[in-house]
Amino acid sequence: MTKKKICLLGAFAVGKTSLVQQYVNSIFSDKYHTTVGVKIEKTSVDVDGEAVDLIIWDLHGEDDFQHVRLSYLKGSAGLIFVADGTRHSTLATALNLRQIAESSMGSLPFMLLVNKADLADQWEIDDEVMEDLRGQGISVIPTSAKTGQSVEWAFEELARKMVGK
Amino acid sequence: MTTGYARILDTLCRKTFKDSAIAWFITDLQGTIRYWGGSLSRLNLPEPGSDTQICDLLVFLEGMIPVADDELEFSFIELPSGVCVDACIYRQESSLDIIIWDSSRKQSHLRPTLQVVNEMSLLIEKKEKLLADLDAVSVSDTKTDMKNGQAPPGFLGEFFAALNVAVLEMDDQGRFFLFSQPPPWLDSLPQAERLRSGSPLEEDCFSFLGNFIQEAKTRWDQGQKQTFGSGLWIEEDHRGEELLFEASALAVQGRRLLIISKDACLPDEKQAIIQKGRDLALHYDNERKSGRQLRSLNDILEIRVRERTRELESVNQQLSIELRERKRAETERTQALEQLRQSQKMEAIGTLAGGVAHDFNNILSGIIGYTELSIVESGENEKLDKILGAAYRARNLVQQILTFSHQDAREREPVMLSRVVNEVVGLAMASLPADVGIDSDLNSNAYILADSTQIHQVVMNLCTNAWQAMAENGGMLSVGLQERELDEKRHLLLTIKDTGPGIPADLMDRIFDPYFTTKEEGNGLGLSVVQGIVRKSDGYIEVDTAQGKGTEFRVIFPVWDLRNQSKL
Ligand SMILES: Nc1nc2c(ncn2[C@@H]2O[C@H](COP(=O)(O)OP(=O)(O)OP(=O)(O)O)[C@@H](O)[C@H]2O)c(=O)[nH]1
Ligand SMILES: [Mg+2]
């Protein structure tokens, strides 16, 4: 069976844990429990008839206090960068992390999720910016860990890229 | 070599780390487990079989094997089983040595700190604006940043707005300007326009605050921080509406503030508001003091401020409604009391007068009787005639008193008012001075239900007053009688109008008082008796007077219908 490691990276509180929990366990909580270190989840996904085990590394958020250890990225088959649509600065963090990851891991399949799409009225990242990034060949997907919007699709799309289909 | 190494690890785990949740594995470079040891069960891991892959047990190693580096370290890896481990991996020539141990305890120490740090960071990010506002208020040095008349941001602004007060701040020259947002009632304060424009006002613009400002300044100069109040004062606004104000002076964060509130409340109500305000202020102060904590509690504070603000607003609204209601009720009560007092007074006077009059009548009967007897016995006697005349006048007066006090029992009968008026006018024509003209315009022969003698008295009295008012400068006495439809019923309107000097305004509400008179020789019962009679005849009196132009009395009686015998 194919096993693939995925890492989720992004600023703190953007919803990495929430996205994973929504995808793996179909649950969502409004309460914020910050992740210390790494939380590993395992799930399997069917990619066009092929079962793929996903080992999902939900990393702690990047900020001034905790920096993501590059060693954690070892062995990853794909990366998910997460930004919080209601906090403009988190997009810069995500893009920055992407550069760091690329310089140490080379180019891997990845996605950029702009989370909390359900809070449209507080949105700070406009369509233009996202369109711009898409123009650079980045898959930018607005998601909501709360409503589940595009969550499953995003993980499966990455899995598809990882197995090369 | 490998087995010797394994034995050392095993011994270490059993002897040195015997109470710890620690485990070790030796695998080949592909990750197949060769040796293992330690407390797997305490790490919630199953025992491996003969060719179990390490990745099946330690799922986080998936993708890492074969390990490229000599050494790898991980901390706080939360496995799907829920166990949190630290891990070290060493690459040997032909094997991987892996040690894992429970790090939940370490994690449980770190987690709360990280949680707070992250929450704080989040709040700092999210509430930057609010923080800026709070800082602007909490650092007194920044007060120069705020222009005069500009509403204080954030907490204080909302607080004052909720309290519905006008807050004035004193500047270094001892002048005052509006500190808070102007409350809706600001215009009822003197100088409201200038206050609103934000220009600082000299203290004497607030003369309505009397010595209060002086006292406030003295206290501030002495560095006293306690708040103190002005007591209530009543101010009339430009519409003449009376408003109740109260002021408090306080020094807060280096600012010297006058808080003026309208519609001051009852002590209980005030207590409730102050209590809420204090809670809020305490909360705010604590938050401010604890600096860093402020940031993490900011969110809560903001929500509380909003909640409290809303609470205060509704309490305030409720209060002013209640206050208005209470004031109205109070006014009504005072009016009713006044009326009651008036009628009690009248009643007392009436009873007294009635009692005296009866005694007087008896005495007079004796005087009249004996005088008449003496005249019969002694024949014509000028002096006795005078006594008799005076006694008769006295009896008339007593009769009037009895009428006023409703203690005479006269019968009412249908009276043709025009006939009575004609008689009086005829009499008046004969006795009026030459420079007083008379004009009579009688347009109805309707009847009223009354005592004809008394009605005679009413008309006579009013006409006498009228021509007496014109005695000095002459004038015109106009008497009119017309029918009027009032409340769909026929009424008779009798007008008696002079062109005299008019009744002074300050006397107007006393002219119907018994014993009130402006005439030296008057006995004062005149108009009160007139009113008594008119009322008894189901009528009422109105007066209009204009200084220098004259006075008009209007007497209105319901018409007695001949066909309506039942009223008799
Ligand atoms: N409305 C809304 N809230 C979300 C969404 N995703 C996450 N949240 C909330 O955002 C907060 C942070 O979510 P987490 O999933 O813990 O964020 P994280 O990225 O794992 O945070 P760290 O582990 O500290 O880096 C939580 O209060 C979530 O409930 C979303 O899609 N919509
Ligand atoms: Mg997390």
Side-chain angles (χ1 to χ4, degrees):
Chain A
M1 187 184 305
T2 330
K3 292 184 181 178
K4 297 286 177 193
K5 172 179 174 181
I6 298 176
C7 285
L8 278 89
L9 300 104
F12 64 93
V14 293
K16 298 178 294 297
T17 305
S18 302
L19 284 164
V20 174
Q21 290 310 311
Q22 175 63 258
Y23 177 56
V24 176
N25 299 315
S26 304
I27 49 174
F28 175 80
S29 159
D30 267 319
K31 228 170 145 49
Y32 175 34
H33 279 296
T34 196
T35 306
V36 181
V38 190
K39 188 171 163 59
I40 306 225
E41 289 284 352
K42 206 178 134 186
T43 191
S44 65
V45 58
D46 180 290
V47 183
D48 303 329
E50 186 186 343
V52 177
D53 268 359
L54 294 181
I55 316 297
I56 304 172
W57 285 48
D58 168 18
L59 301 184
H60 64 72
E62 165 80 8
D63 64 13
D64 296 343
F65 302 93
Q66 309 181 82
H67 292 287
V68 170
R69 288 196 203 186
L70 289 175
S71 60
Y72 283 12
L73 302 182
K74 274 184 197 309
S76 299
L79 302 174
I80 292 179
F81 299 95
V82 186
D84 176 347
T86 66
R87 291 151 65 206
H88 192 268
S89 64
T90 61
L91 181 62
T93 308
L95 292 173
N96 193 33
L97 282 168
R98 189 205 144 224
Q99 244 171 17
I100 294 171
E102 194 167 37
S103 63
S104 81
M105 303 285 302
S107 73
L108 286 175
F110 75 94
M111 297 269 188
L112 174 57
L113 308 191
V114 187
N115 193 35
K116 310 198 185 178
D118 53 295
L119 301 174
D121 53 329
Q122 298 168 33
W123 208 251
E124 285 183 355
I125 298 173
D126 49 33
D127 289 345
E128 229 172 277
V129 175
M130 294 200 282
E131 223 25 75
D132 231 39
L133 290 169
R134 283 186 191 117
Q136 298 169 32
I138 299 173
S139 306
V140 186
I141 304 166
T143 56
S144 168
K146 187 166 185 170
T147 65
Q149 177 191 325
S150 303
V151 175
E152 200 174 318
W153 185 83
F155 277 93
E156 283 173 7
E157 184 65 16
L158 182 65
R160 204 166 288 127
K161 283 190 189 181
M162 289 188 303
V163 297
K165 293 199 176 172
Chain B
M1 166 76 192
T2 309
T3 43
Y5 186 53
R7 214 173 295 123
I8 297 171
L9 280 174
D10 199 28
T11 317
L12 262 178
C13 280
R14 278 193 289 109
K15 300 213 161 148
T16 313
F17 302 112
K18 60 177 187 297
D19 291 326
S20 310
I22 187 167
W24 58 271
F25 303 90
I26 296 173
T27 73
D28 62 21
L29 290 179
Q30 275 62 53
T32 311
I33 299 171
R34 297 278 169 247
Y35 308 94
W36 60 272
S39 339
L40 288 191
S41 61
R42 290 176 66 181
L43 286 164
N44 221 354
L45 293 174
E47 280 190 19
S50 58
D51 54 358
T52 307
Q53 291 291 308
I54 187 73
C55 297
D56 292 338
L57 233 54
L58 304 180
V59 66
F60 70 94
L61 286 176
E62 182 61 51
M64 266 185 247
I65 290 174
V67 173
D69 308 51
D70 293 342
E71 200 177 307
L72 276 179
E73 249 182 69
F74 297 95
S75 53
F76 302 121
I77 296 189
E78 196 177 324
L79 299 175
S81 61
V83 178
C84 187
V85 297
D86 280 5
C88 282
I89 300 158
Y90 307 95
R91 186 195 154 110
Q92 311 289 340
E93 263 159 39
S94 59
S95 68
L96 295 176
D97 305 339
I98 301 159
I99 305 172
I100 63 168
W101 63 96
D102 183 7
S103 61
S104 333
R105 275 183 59 197
K106 197 168 85 175
Q107 195 206 31
S108 69
H109 287 304
L110 191 66
R111 178 187 282 279
T113 319
L114 270 174
Q115 181 81 37
V116 171
V117 166
N118 278 359
E119 279 174 7
M120 270 173 13
S121 312
L122 201 58
L123 284 167
I124 291 172
E125 224 178 67
K126 270 193 179 169
K127 307 292 178 206
E128 250 168 17
K129 204 179 141 290
L130 177 74
L131 277 175
D133 291 353
L134 277 168
D135 287 345
V137 182
S138 61
V139 184
S140 56
D141 290 350
T142 60
K143 74 176 171 186
T144 40
D145 297 349
M146 235 155 57
K147 291 192 194 74
N148 293 355
Q150 192 175 312
F155 174 79
L156 280 183
E158 292 194 38
F159 183 48
F160 289 142
L163 284 176
N164 192 25
V165 293
V167 185
L168 307 174
E169 183 178 9
M170 188 176 86
D171 64 15
D172 293 328
Q173 281 94 57
R175 298 172 308 178
F176 289 86
F177 59 86
L178 197 61
F179 174 73
S180 65
Q181 245 159 10
W185 50 266
L186 186 78
D187 288 328
S188 44
L189 276 184
Q191 306 287 346
E193 232 138 84
R194 291 183 57 195
L195 278 178
R196 203 187 287 281
S197 75
S199 51
L201 299 187
E202 297 298 334
E203 139 192 358
D204 52 16
C205 290
F206 303 106
S207 56
F208 59 93
L209 282 172
N211 296 330
F212 177 66
I213 289 189
Q214 279 309 323
E215 195 183 340
K217 282 186 171 176
T218 314
R219 289 187 186 219
W220 288 336
D221 284 346
Q222 293 166 353
Q224 290 188 30
K225 287 233 167 96
Q226 301 102 303
T227 305
F228 70 105
S230 67
L232 303 175
W233 85 89
I234 290 175
E235 191 77 24
E236 239 179 42
D237 72 0
H238 54 88
R239 292 176 300 263
E241 194 187 336
E242 280 193 343
L243 299 167
L244 206 56
F245 289 104
E246 189 170 24
S248 310
L250 77 161
V252 56
Q253 290 163 11
R255 292 164 181 276
R256 294 152 301 185
L257 304 177
L258 285 186
I259 299 185
I260 302 177
S261 58
K262 193 183 83 118
D263 276 346
C265 333
L266 293 181
D268 280 0
E269 300 161 338
K270 209 162 84 180
Q271 165 70 23
I273 285 187
I274 290 174
Q275 188 65 52
K276 285 205 166 91
R278 294 243 163 101
D279 287 350
L280 211 57
L282 268 184
H283 202 80
Y284 168 63
D285 213 27
N286 286 342
E287 245 62 307
R288 199 171 53 80
K289 275 192 205 126
S290 47
R292 247 164 75 98
Q293 248 180 34
L294 165 68
R295 280 148 175 80
S296 73
L297 292 172
N298 222 339
D299 219 2
I300 306 164
L301 170 67
E302 195 191 26
I303 293 165
R304 290 220 184 134
V305 167
R306 281 194 203 297
E307 268 172 18
R308 294 292 178 112
T309 302
R310 238 175 285 125
E311 244 176 89
L312 280 172
E313 264 165 12
S314 72
V315 167
N316 240 19
Q317 222 168 3
Q318 193 54 35
L319 278 183
S320 37
I321 292 170
E322 275 176 21
L323 217 79
R324 236 176 288 135
E325 225 116 78
R326 189 163 303 146
K327 261 198 220 153
R328 215 190 46 220
E330 190 60 33
T331 317
E332 279 170 6
R333 204 176 69 98
T334 334
Q335 280 171 355
L337 266 180
E338 182 54 35
Q339 274 170 13
L340 186 68
R341 208 174 51 81
Q342 185 65 18
S343 60
Q344 278 169 346
K345 189 175 88 183
M346 301 290 270
E347 179 128 19
I349 293 172
T351 314
L352 183 72
V356 172
H358 274 298
D359 291 345
F360 220 49
N361 235 0
N362 292 340
I363 299 167
L364 279 173
S365 301
I367 293 173
I368 289 170
Y370 282 109
T371 310
E372 280 172 346
L373 212 62
S374 305
I375 291 173
V376 171
E377 280 173 3
S378 61
E380 281 295 303
N381 182 320
E382 201 185 328
K383 284 176 185 157
L384 285 177
D385 276 347
K386 280 201 171 143
I387 293 174
L388 196 59
Y392 281 139
R393 280 206 303 282
R395 194 167 62 182
N396 267 340
L397 185 57
V398 169
Q399 198 50 57
Q400 282 192 21
I401 292 172
L402 283 172
T403 305
F404 161 72
S405 60
H406 311 300
Q407 291 187 12
D408 64 338
R410 294 201 182 224
E411 286 293 315
R412 293 205 288 165
E413 58 193 354
V415 177
M416 192 196 281
L417 190 55
S418 55
R419 198 175 289 156
V420 178
V421 176
N422 256 329
E423 263 175 50
V424 174
V425 169
L427 276 172
M429 286 232 214
S431 49
L432 278 181
D435 54 355
V436 176
I438 188 158
D439 170 38
S440 139
D441 182 19
L442 311 181
N443 290 316
S444 168
N445 286 328
Y447 285 79
I448 62 170
L449 199 61
D451 176 323
S452 65
T453 320
Q454 287 186 345
I455 291 302
H456 203 276
Q457 209 175 341
V458 166
V459 182
M460 194 67 202
N461 205 320
L462 291 176
C463 287
T464 311
N465 284 345
W467 72 253
Q468 278 178 351
M470 298 180 288
E472 226 164 88
N473 300 316
M476 187 59 135
L477 169 65
S478 315
V479 183
L481 189 65
Q482 296 154 35
E483 280 187 34
R484 278 286 152 84
E485 190 91 347
L486 295 172
D487 294 333
E488 296 179 359
K489 290 196 190 84
R490 282 169 73 206
H491 284 77
L492 269 182
L493 168 66
L494 169 68
T495 48
I496 293 163
K497 191 172 160 187
D498 65 58
T499 56
I503 303 168
D506 56 329
L507 301 182
M508 268 302 277
D509 53 349
R510 289 165 56 204
I511 56 173
F512 291 108
D513 276 5
Y515 303 108
F516 172 79
T517 182
T518 54
K519 300 168 209 153
E520 269 163 33
E521 74 278 19
N523 57 34
L525 273 176
L527 280 175
S528 73
V529 171
V530 165
Q531 193 177 44
I533 294 168
V534 171
R535 281 193 182 156
K536 232 171 50 174
S537 318
D538 302 327
Y540 58 93
I541 300 190
E542 295 173 347
V543 198
D544 262 344
T545 188
Q547 293 304 299
K549 292 201 174 135
T551 305
E552 178 180 85
F553 278 86
R554 288 186 298 277
V555 191
I556 296 102
F557 294 105
V559 165
W560 181 79
D561 201 329
L562 269 174
R563 284 160 298 186
N564 185 7
Q565 299 288 331
S566 64
K567 262 206 124 179
L568 243 176

